[in-house]
Amino acid sequence: MGRSPCCEKEHTNKGAWTKEEDERLINYIKLHGEGCWRSLPKAAGLLRCGKSCRLRWINYLRPDLKRGNFTEEEDELIIKLHSLLGNKWSLIAARLPGRTDNEIKNYWNTHIKRKLYSRGIDPQTHRPLNSAAAATATTTTTTASAALSNCWSSSNNNKNNKGSINVSKIETHNSLAQFVQAPECIGSMKICNSNIKVRTDSSAEDSNSSSGVTTEEVCPEINLELSIGLSYHQPQVSSINFIKQKQSNHHQQQHHHDQQQQPQQQNLAYVFSEAPTKAVCFCCSLGLRSNHTCSCRVMETSLTADSFSRYYRSLNS
DNA sequence: AAGAGCAGCAACCGCATGAAT
DNA sequence: TATTCATGCGGTTGCTGCTCT
């Protein structure tokens, strides 16, 4: 059953690519084109896994890459796209010809974050920094990107969320990917809070349950069972249908599809978790620092010198 | 001049999804 | 239908060069 492995991992190189490896990869792709990464290393005479070859090609060797500094226009576009899409680097990169998701991600973390801080803007929420604290009140107002960013962050990065409780699903009307790929959206892309439905869920496999209480809250006032101040809003909102969140497996996806006809709400749990930068876990936000579910404690105990340095930098940037 | 700390970036890791078997 | 794996993505890490003391 199944397929054969993509490569023999014990016979692959790791680390920085040599010039010779680059040349081999370039030559091979020039001759045979992209794709079939599985068989590429062997065919090209490279002791690398296909995944590594793909990454090297996409992020560094591709001829259409635009090397060099980002322009001011690119900066602003990235900021704008990030405010709309959150950390969806591949989608952002798709809007910047010649730039890769990895490059943009790095650039965001090293330059733009600082730039936004210097403007007094929280890079994660795109709200003024001094209003972020005030907004952690009882009701939650959020933009689509913020909700998505947080949800994706919390659901996709479990290791940063040990002991945390997650928003498991966001339900929306249309595909974000389709929307973002529509060229006419750039520059006029606005997100309609009223179209974003946050379905809360304590049990993924229970998502098709007909026994759940059905309340589908509509932004901007997301009525969480746990009232948490997920803070921010972007007032300019028009109508856009948004995202169908990735489901964790095919089964859930089917349920999800079904539920678009019949949305259900289940228990909500939510955590602020954007580790490692400025992570504020729910426990801490409530002043329950000693709680065993506190993700900050996990962070504290697992920090290496280097990661602590990085974390510290991010706080001071 | 030397060491420590910082910044930037390339590459890796792990996960989600969907396709192949 | 279940299993296995390729691919793509986002988060994280490690290395290198630069700056500061």
Side-chain angles (χ1 to χ4, degrees), chain A residues 292-307:
Chain A
H292 69 281
T293 64
C294 174
S295 61
C296 298
R297 285 175 63 227
V298 172
M299 185 171 66
E300 281 170 2
T301 55
S302 63
L303 283 177
T304 62
D306 202 47
S307 61

Side-chain angles (χ1 to χ4, degrees), chain A residues 103-118:
Chain A
E103 190 179 14
I104 293 170
K105 178 172 60 181
N106 284 334
Y107 187 66
W108 176 269
N109 287 325
T110 56
H111 292 89
I112 298 184
K113 265 187 179 177
R114 204 179 313 148
K115 188 174 183 174
L116 291 178
Y117 276 123
S118 73

Side-chain angles (χ1 to χ4, degrees), chain A residues 148-214:
Chain A
L148 292 167
S149 178
N150 281 297
C151 293
W152 268 314
S153 172
S154 58
S155 64
N156 286 346
N157 196 7
N158 294 334
K159 63 187 164 209
N160 290 328
N161 294 326
K162 289 171 186 170
S164 300
I165 39 185
N166 298 323
V167 167
S168 62
K169 286 185 178 63
I170 276 194
E171 182 161 349
T172 53
H173 294 163
N174 287 344
S175 159
L176 173 63
Q178 285 173 1
F179 169 70
V180 169
Q181 281 156 15
E184 65 273 16
C185 296
I186 276 303
S188 62
M189 188 199 248
K190 293 177 182 176
I191 292 167
C192 179
N193 282 351
S194 63
N195 275 346
I196 298 167
K197 298 168 182 178
V198 173
R199 185 152 45 86
T200 62
D201 190 352
S202 64
S203 164
E205 56 274 29
D206 196 28
S207 61
N208 65 338
S209 160
S210 58
S211 61
V213 180
T214 300

